[in-house]
Amino acid sequence: MDTWATWTTQGIIAGTGGVMTTEGGPITGDVTVHTTWIDGLAQVTVQHTGATDWYAVQGSPVPAGDEDAGRAVHQAAVEAVKEGGGRAFSFPV
């Protein structure tokens, strides 16, 4: 297939409890969400805005059959970060 797209949203203030990551536990504060969609999967990562290290969001990657679905996963991740809760995401696809 070899089709891809990316989306980045900066300056999101994570809700209480932050966003749970695979490598770094919960990330809190001002974060950037980045989603890469390639070959039917959406990989969501976060970082403290302006930092260099990226962390995989727990629950990612998720199936996303087309670019629109990948974009929907990104928007769902942005909204989930705003909500916080420090839990793994459950993405709608």
Side-chain angles (χ1 to χ4, degrees):
M1 186 188 293
D2 201 27
T3 306
W4 64 276
T6 65
W7 303 273
T8 304
T9 304
Q10 298 178 327
I12 302 164
I13 304 302
T16 303
V19 54
M20 184 59 69
T21 66
T22 304
E23 307 91 347
I27 302 293
T28 61
D30 185 340
V31 301
T32 297
V33 176
H34 179 79
T35 304
T36 302
W37 172 78
I38 186 166
D39 293 338
L41 288 176
Q43 174 69 48
V44 181
T45 57
V46 296
Q47 71 172 183
H48 287 105
T49 297
T52 57
D53 294 330
W54 288 93
Y55 301 95
V57 172
Q58 195 169 41
S60 171
V62 295
D66 59 25
E67 188 173 337
D68 288 339
R71 178 70 174 107
V73 168
H74 177 77
Q75 192 56 45
V78 168
E79 296 307 317
V81 168
K82 289 177 183 178
E83 288 179 23
R87 61 188 179 281
F89 289 161
S90 174
F91 294 105
V93 288

